[in-house]
């Protein structure tokens, strides 16, 4: 009897979904909707060029091979406040993923990365295609076509976002600030990216605070705050934007620090791209800044010859790794991320204190910081 | 008495404004509003990076030094149907100019142009700045920062467009399609630009029809159809989009052919950039295609050695010019533009037949084809 009752319970109330399962499920929903959008865009862009089909196919393949965290977080942000599914949510989620594709395509050109998500980067794909057509300047052609493909992602992302904004305005009978809000956040991403480029390619030495500020706007707000806030806007809860932004900033900085850590310590297989690309690129990550600050002048000179050297060896990378551990920097980063996770937890609690939240979504939100801390690629 | 009466008339009803005066006046209005927007954006982007001020200043300087035809045409499209000035019109006009800045900044990187509007292109400005900071890779840094600056223009353009869309939705109490409409048109510009890049950098030989299609989407619809249609959408006259698009396509192709002609025949002083850059770049313009088709194999070989050769001389450019004239290609282009202008005139007449238009704006619209045909830089 007890057994039967328990069995019944299990059927009616399945085990609460964890954040990883949630993200995987939303990834699949968003991917499906993106495929539909891509088919629609192909049909409407066809008059401009017969290549519309192949360009959209490439953008779709690239977009759906990501983890689509940003898109999923629009759903999460919305479901905190509302249990009704509105079609504009998935449009906004697709917009986030198209923006992300555009930014990554441009980023890979700037960083000269050749591999992303286990396949050639978009500009490398175009380079190969132009070389096959007999171009004498295939490298340049690949980069130019990559810039255009990224631009197209932005425009189509805004198309999807405009749709979501319009549908939301109609639903609530009041103008929605969604489009303007996201556009301004994206402009901040662009500014933070410029800082990242400058620090990578000019002999400037940013402070820890400079780097944290760059992380906040290039990654944290964009990856966590903006999608969560977009969800809240679509649930007509603009008063919750501020606290979701604050939560997202903390979780997002943790996410970026974990990204840096994976870039330094993960294997090529885990990364889907060559090990040590941040080192070869001379990226001014938080690890780099701390490492330089804690090293003596002789060590600093050795490290300077490794960072930014496209030809640095696996021995060089191993040396950097061991210095990071020996100087206690990895330990320090763990403390920093714990602190940020604690702050995020407090903010999440205060969010719950102020609003009646969907308990399932609230539970997922509480898991997000842990996910950012421990995620693999 | 007659004299006094005439004098009175002149004061009360000033001579009807011509299109050039109209464009100049709107340019000044849009420039002023853009400066206000830039100040507002600077303040709100400041948290992302202290460089917000200098980046916005650079974008503003670049944007206001253009002719701002696209922005002005939003006003014209709106005023055809409505005599009330709405603040969202100038926001939409600024959006068009920010999009144009973004596209030009990226275009200049792709074409490796060093001068635009009489000043260094944006990526060259950044290159110089990074070189001054001691960058060993200033060329690459300049291009990367240029890509980011272009992206920021797109995002801020969409911010302004979202604002206009929201205001318009509120005014008419119905969702506006403005944001989605413009985003999709911009995606088409991106696709057409990709064709332009491919034809320039790979050994493909497009047909006259291919080139016209590319002109239609890269220039004509974007420069004329989209802004005029945007104005109509803001006047809540979506049923006029189709005919304004058709008018814009014709005038816009004329505009592009004139652009090609100026690129071939104008002096450096008139152009604000070095003479023959389209030739050096190997751009597949309509002139180029016709020239190749009309030349015999020996001539074609001579021309092939000139087009796409970065080191071609002023004698080479003079040779290309004389062949274009001697083969009757310039004459043929004149006929083609006359035909297109005639079609535009008919369409404009039929527009007047279907709607009660503001006579002053209608008169300006009829002058637009003539302006596109005869404009100088």
């Amino acid at each position: 009897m007890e057994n039967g009752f328990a069995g019944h319970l299990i059927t009616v109330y399945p085990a609460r979904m964890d954040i990883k399962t949630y993200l995987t499920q939303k990834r699949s929903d968003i991917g499906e909707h993106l495929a539909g959008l891509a088919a629609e865009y192909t049909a409407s862009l066809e008059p401009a060029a017969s290549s519309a089909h192949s360009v959209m196919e490439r953008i779709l393949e690239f977009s759906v091979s990501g983890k689509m965290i940003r898109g999923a977080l629009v759903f999460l942000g919305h479901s905190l406040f509302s249990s009704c599914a509105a079609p504009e949510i998935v449009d906004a989620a697709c917009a986030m993923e198209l923006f992300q594709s555009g930014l990554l395509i441009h980023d890979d050109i700037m960083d000269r990365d050749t591999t992303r998500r286990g396949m050639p980067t978009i500009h490398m794909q175009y380079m190969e295609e132009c070389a096959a057509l007999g171009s004498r300047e295939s490298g340049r052609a690949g980069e130019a076509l990559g810039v255009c493909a990224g631009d197209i992602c932005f425009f189509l992302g805004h198309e999807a976002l405009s749709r979501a904004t319009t549908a939301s305005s109609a639903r609530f009978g009041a103008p929605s600030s969604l489009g303007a809000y996201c556009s301004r956040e994206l402009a901040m991403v662009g500014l933070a990216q410029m800082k990242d480029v400058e620090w990578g390619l000019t002999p400037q030495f940013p402070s820890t605070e400079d780097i944290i500020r760059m992380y906040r706007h290039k990654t944290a707000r964009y990856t966590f705050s903006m999608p969560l806030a977009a969800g809240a806007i679509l649930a007509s809860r603009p008063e919750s934007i501020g606290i979701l932004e604050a939560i997202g900033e903390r979780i997002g900085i943790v996410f970026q620090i974990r990204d840096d850590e994976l870039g330094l310590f993960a294997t090529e297989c885990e990364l889907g791209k060559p090990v040590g690309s941040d080192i070869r690129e001379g990226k001014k990550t938080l690890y780099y800044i701390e490492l330089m600050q804690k090293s003596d002048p002789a060590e600093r000179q050795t490290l300077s010859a490794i960072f930014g050297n496209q030809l640095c060896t696996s021995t060089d990378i191993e040396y950097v790794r061991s210095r990071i551990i020996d100087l206690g920097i990895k330990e320090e980063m763990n403390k920093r991320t714990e602190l940020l996770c604690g702050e995020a937890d407090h903010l999440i609690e205060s969010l719950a204190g102020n609003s009646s939240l969907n308990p399932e979504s609230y539970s997922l939100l509480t898991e997000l910081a842990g996910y950012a801390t421990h995620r693999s690629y």
Side-chain angles (χ1 to χ4, degrees), chain A residues 171-376:
Chain A
R171 179 176 306 277
F172 296 105
S176 166
S177 59
L178 182 68
Y181 175 80
C182 293
S183 302
R184 204 172 284 212
E185 278 298 320
L186 287 164
M188 292 207 218
V189 176
L191 275 177
Q193 168 73 0
M194 289 177 91
K195 280 286 145 205
D196 202 13
V197 169
E198 278 172 29
W199 292 332
L201 294 175
T202 63
Q204 293 181 63
F205 198 83
S207 68
T208 302
E209 207 25 74
D210 287 334
I211 298 286
I212 293 283
R213 186 184 190 185
M214 189 261 284
Y215 283 7
R216 185 177 298 122
H217 290 278
K218 192 188 156 182
T219 307
R221 289 181 62 90
Y222 160 66
T223 307
F224 292 88
S225 307
M226 177 173 82
L228 288 171
I233 294 171
L234 288 169
S236 195
R237 291 292 292 266
E239 71 281 8
S240 304
I241 293 174
I243 190 158
L244 288 172
E245 285 178 339
I247 294 167
E249 285 181 13
R250 274 130 190 111
I251 298 177
I253 291 172
V254 170
F255 180 88
Q256 181 60 54
I257 291 174
R258 174 69 179 154
D259 201 68
D260 295 343
E261 187 191 327
L262 287 166
L264 284 163
F265 292 98
T267 62
E268 175 155 352
C269 186
E270 288 169 313
L271 285 173
K273 61 180 181 183
V275 164
S277 70
D278 282 0
I279 296 175
R280 259 188 295 276
E281 193 57 37
K283 273 234 179 285
K284 304 282 166 42
T285 66
L286 208 50
Y287 278 96
Y288 170 89
I289 297 298
E290 300 281 315
L291 182 57
M292 286 302 199
Q293 282 173 352
K294 287 194 165 47
S295 299
D296 61 37
E299 263 181 349
R300 211 174 292 156
Q301 208 162 4
T302 311
L303 290 165
S304 292
I306 296 174
F307 280 91
N309 176 7
Q310 288 288 334
L311 304 171
C312 78
T313 64
S314 56
T315 315
D316 292 336
I317 292 167
E318 208 38 70
Y319 173 74
V320 170
R321 287 174 176 173
S322 68
R323 293 313 295 146
I324 285 171
I325 293 168
D326 296 349
L327 289 167
I329 295 170
K330 209 173 171 188
E331 191 53 35
E332 207 175 82
M333 289 296 170
N334 289 345
K335 280 190 195 139
R336 188 185 282 271
T337 57
E338 268 170 38
L339 194 71
L340 287 163
C341 288
E343 286 177 20
D345 286 344
H346 275 293
L347 288 161
I348 292 170
E349 276 166 34
S350 74
L351 178 71
N354 293 327
S355 341
S356 66
L357 302 176
N358 179 331
E360 175 93 9
S361 305
Y362 178 76
S363 157
L364 290 167
L365 187 65
T366 61
E367 289 176 40
L368 207 50
Y371 168 77
T373 314
H374 302 296
R375 77 198 175 86
S376 55

Side-chain angles (χ1 to χ4, degrees), chain A residues 7-247:
Chain A
H8 176 73
L9 259 183
I10 287 162
T11 312
V12 179
Y13 307 107
R16 185 160 276 196
M17 199 186 286
D18 67 8
I19 185 75
K20 272 188 91 166
T21 312
Y22 182 82
L23 293 175
T24 307
Q25 197 187 79
K26 289 302 169 199
R27 179 177 189 266
S28 147
D29 295 349
I30 298 164
E32 210 172 287
H33 195 75
L34 258 178
L37 274 184
E40 197 192 316
Y41 289 152
T42 301
S44 74
L45 299 179
E46 197 79 40
S50 53
S51 55
H53 180 74
S54 77
V55 174
M56 280 312 307
E57 214 170 37
R58 210 182 289 271
I59 288 174
L60 179 66
E61 184 195 36
F62 185 76
S63 301
V64 298
S65 62
K67 279 210 287 292
M68 306 201 218
I69 299 172
R70 294 158 192 84
L73 293 182
V74 178
F75 280 95
L76 184 59
H78 181 263
S79 66
L80 280 168
F81 308 105
S82 168
S83 54
C84 88
E88 56 266 29
I89 316 298
V90 72
D91 273 328
C94 288
M96 300 295 145
E97 294 307 323
L98 287 165
F99 294 139
Q100 169 68 353
S101 293
L103 289 168
L104 289 180
I105 292 169
H106 285 181
D107 208 48
D108 286 338
I109 295 170
M110 294 178 209
D111 291 349
R112 291 196 178 155
D113 279 328
T114 56
T115 316
R116 162 83 67 181
R117 296 168 174 171
M119 53 180 171
T121 49
I122 296 290
H123 70 281
M124 289 303 288
Q125 293 179 24
Y126 278 118
M127 190 202 81
E128 283 158 27
E129 211 164 79
C130 291
L133 285 168
S135 170
R136 281 174 303 173
E137 295 190 88
S138 59
R140 211 185 131 204
E143 289 194 358
L145 294 171
V147 170
C148 295
D151 292 350
I152 292 171
C153 289
F154 294 142
F155 299 140
L156 294 179
H158 280 290
E159 206 271 353
L161 194 67
S162 297
R163 241 188 243 222
T165 308
T166 302
S168 183
S169 302
R171 179 176 306 277
F172 296 105
S176 166
S177 59
L178 182 68
Y181 175 80
C182 293
S183 302
R184 204 172 284 212
E185 278 298 320
L186 287 164
M188 292 207 218
V189 176
L191 275 177
Q193 168 73 0
M194 289 177 91
K195 280 286 145 205
D196 202 13
V197 169
E198 278 172 29
W199 292 332
L201 294 175
T202 63
Q204 293 181 63
F205 198 83
S207 68
T208 302
E209 207 25 74
D210 287 334
I211 298 286
I212 293 283
R213 186 184 190 185
M214 189 261 284
Y215 283 7
R216 185 177 298 122
H217 290 278
K218 192 188 156 182
T219 307
R221 289 181 62 90
Y222 160 66
T223 307
F224 292 88
S225 307
M226 177 173 82
L228 288 171
I233 294 171
L234 288 169
S236 195
R237 291 292 292 266
E239 71 281 8
S240 304
I241 293 174
I243 190 158
L244 288 172
E245 285 178 339
I247 294 167

